[in-house]
Amino acid sequence: MTEPVADIALIGLAVMGQNLILNMNDHGFVVCAYNRTTDKVKSFLENEAKGTKVVGAFSLEEMVSKLKLPRRIMLLVKAGPAVDGFIDKLVPLLSLGDIIIDGGNSEYQDTQRRTEELEKKGILFVGSGVSGGEDGARYGPSLMPGGNPKAWPHIKPIFQSICAKSNGEPCCDWVGETGAGHFVKMVHNGIEYGDMQLICEAYHIMRNGLGLNPQEMSDVFGEWNKGVLDSFLIEITRDILKYKDGKGYLLERIRDTAGQKGTGKWTAIAALDYGIPVTLIGESVFARCLSSLQGERIEASTVLEGPNAVYQGDKKQFLEHLRKALYASKIISYAQGFMLLREAAKIHNWNLNYGGIALMWRGGCIIRSAFLGNIKQAFDKNPKLTNLLLDDFFAKAMKECQASARVTVATAVTLGIPTPALSTALAFYDGFRTARLPANLLQAQRDYFGAHTYELLGAEGKFVHTNWTGHGGNVSASTYDA
């Protein structure tokens, strides 16, 4: 019988898995490494893990035998059937109270199902968001665990040791029940899509509208990174813009078709499912879809007319408008993301700590930024805050920046430069601050063609139908919606 020596096992030795193992080893935990292709285990032990306390296993049975109780097993494998496949193989080898952790980008509905199914078998399941890429995995990721709360005391020491720290506080805490951890990670990734698209639009305006060269643009992003926009994505944009190889600036030779792995799309779908207007993330997903139509765009560029203008005004002054527009749009994006979190929490009875989530995103992850500290403060001040835009700090920031957002979007429209994310941020802001929207006409239209009824001001809750044409009926539709 093998003596249990390992604190945790990790299945999946791609770059994220290997780096997380080495990170855990650095913090004094003994990790058992396993991979379906066992040659990878041998190679990892002889190379990257050489000289560490990492132990290997060449079968699931051997791996389980090396684990201390309660057994903790983390999966870093492709989301979907692969996760279910490993769970099915592991369950017969485990005991009551053992813990399986899925650290991949799984859909939150799958995590909900797995948590509930495994609880019936006495196994504690955790679905944890892991953000920060390979560098974060190695030196401190942002971790967002959710699932069966009974598992948290057993994984907390490991997770809070290996995660990133922000002002000494761990960028990891228990998120909530069932699929909450993966839902929060999904929204994180959606916000990441939004941040990246906003930055790309600012770059597009600088390059095509202002005619700045890559070094000049890099200098602008470098300056912006010293203020309220201080963030990982602004920092790497500064570095990407000025990067040169033997042929010159590399960025200008990269094909302009964006890839995506699905988490931004999932966020947009969830927004539609829950009826929350997360417009900026939605537009960011569609912008990637449009970029992939490169052949059609190239053909359209020779056929379709539009302005081909260059900005004629004071460039320095306009860059300040652009900076403020980017900041205002970023605030809108996060406000929308937290609206979606709040609605999901209400529907699934998750007890989400919104300030804690902002702290989890302060370090280690792709959207880490100084600005998240202000979000944490907003929720610390008022845990029942319904919308970030109603917090004093963010309301004041929007007051100072909204005029610049208008100048920026209007200028981009005049120059013929597409700004789907910047434009929708402004449209949402104006919609949200409008006490009376034109949906009264929309309701009248629905009632006219489909007898869908409407409510009158002052008589809310009472639904009435009008025979608008005189030859329609007086019976309203109650069995379907259009």
Side-chain angles (χ1 to χ4, degrees), residues 109-328:
Q109 298 98 324
D110 284 341
T111 305
Q112 282 177 299
R113 168 179 59 78
R114 289 166 186 149
T115 306
E116 287 158 10
E117 285 175 359
L118 286 170
E119 185 166 31
K120 290 171 191 161
K121 296 173 182 175
I123 307 294
L124 310 180
F125 187 75
V126 172
S128 180
V130 179
S131 179
E134 56 188 271
D135 205 50
R138 181 68 186 86
Y139 300 107
S142 168
L143 298 170
M144 298 154 244
N148 194 319
K150 292 178 201 152
W152 179 232
H154 302 291
I155 64 170
K156 182 179 178 179
I158 300 177
F159 272 39
Q160 292 199 335
S161 296
I162 67 167
C163 71
K165 308 295 184 290
S166 176
N167 299 326
E169 292 186 77
C171 296
C172 166
D173 207 344
W174 185 250
V175 175
E177 306 78 6
T178 63
H182 273 135
F183 192 91
V184 167
K185 173 61 163 60
M186 177 192 78
V187 173
H188 161 284
N189 283 30
I191 290 171
E192 182 185 305
Y193 272 55
D195 271 4
M196 291 168 79
Q197 178 62 27
L198 288 168
I199 290 168
C200 288
E201 291 175 17
Y203 154 71
H204 197 174
I205 291 169
M206 285 184 212
R207 187 188 66 184
N208 289 37
L210 305 185
L212 301 188
N213 66 42
Q215 185 58 57
E216 288 170 326
M217 291 187 276
S218 176
D219 292 343
V220 171
F221 279 100
E223 275 305 307
W224 287 357
N225 202 48
K226 295 173 186 171
V228 290
L229 288 171
D230 171 18
S231 66
F232 174 70
L233 285 168
I234 294 283
E235 186 184 311
I236 68 168
T237 302
R238 173 200 69 196
D239 296 345
I240 289 165
L241 279 159
K242 67 183 178 187
Y243 185 86
K244 280 178 162 179
D245 60 12
K247 295 179 182 175
Y249 290 108
L250 175 61
L251 179 61
E252 297 308 311
R253 303 199 308 278
I254 294 176
R255 190 166 174 251
D256 60 315
T257 57
Q260 52 181 313
K261 288 201 171 169
T263 41
K265 180 180 77 175
W266 295 347
T267 311
I269 291 168
L272 290 167
D273 284 343
Y274 295 128
I276 301 296
V278 187
T279 56
L280 200 145
I281 294 169
E283 286 291 354
S284 302
V285 174
F286 288 132
R288 293 194 188 195
C289 298
L290 183 60
S291 79
S292 70
L293 304 176
Q294 192 189 33
E296 292 171 55
R297 287 189 290 110
I298 290 169
E299 184 186 355
S301 72
T302 65
V303 176
L304 300 178
E305 286 294 320
N308 196 14
V310 174
Y311 186 70
Q312 300 297 332
D314 183 327
K315 289 184 185 179
K316 192 176 177 188
Q317 188 182 53
F318 181 75
L319 282 169
E320 179 57 12
H321 285 311
L322 183 57
R323 182 189 71 81
K324 286 182 173 176
L326 187 55
Y327 183 48

Side-chain angles (χ1 to χ4, degrees), residues 274-391:
Y274 295 128
I276 301 296
V278 187
T279 56
L280 200 145
I281 294 169
E283 286 291 354
S284 302
V285 174
F286 288 132
R288 293 194 188 195
C289 298
L290 183 60
S291 79
S292 70
L293 304 176
Q294 192 189 33
E296 292 171 55
R297 287 189 290 110
I298 290 169
E299 184 186 355
S301 72
T302 65
V303 176
L304 300 178
E305 286 294 320
N308 196 14
V310 174
Y311 186 70
Q312 300 297 332
D314 183 327
K315 289 184 185 179
K316 192 176 177 188
Q317 188 182 53
F318 181 75
L319 282 169
E320 179 57 12
H321 285 311
L322 183 57
R323 182 189 71 81
K324 286 182 173 176
L326 187 55
Y327 183 48
S329 302
K330 191 178 164 88
I331 291 171
I332 298 288
S333 182
Y334 282 75
Q336 291 182 354
F338 276 91
M339 285 166 70
L340 182 57
L341 289 176
R342 183 172 285 281
E343 184 64 18
K346 194 161 71 182
I347 286 168
H348 297 291
N349 292 318
W350 294 335
N351 183 25
L352 298 185
N353 175 351
Y354 301 103
I357 290 166
L359 175 63
M360 280 180 240
W361 295 347
R362 274 297 301 275
C365 68
I366 306 302
I367 63 170
R368 61 185 181 264
S369 63
F371 161 93
L372 284 154
N374 304 117
I375 295 179
K376 184 175 188 310
Q377 286 165 10
F379 285 112
D380 283 353
K381 198 165 59 181
N382 179 10
K384 290 189 163 57
L385 182 68
T386 56
N387 194 295
L388 270 181
L389 295 174
L390 303 179
D391 173 72

Side-chain angles (χ1 to χ4, degrees), residues 2 23 34 47 61 73 142 149 151 153 177 186 191 260 277 287 320 343 356 364 366 396 420 436-437 441 446 479:
T2 312
N23 185 351
Y34 176 78
N47 295 286
E61 289 80 3
I73 299 167
S142 168
E177 306 78 6
M186 177 192 78
I191 290 171
Q260 52 181 313
E320 179 57 12
E343 184 64 18
I366 306 302
K396 183 169 178 276
R436 187 162 184 194
L437 289 167
L441 174 58
R446 292 178 74 240
T479 54

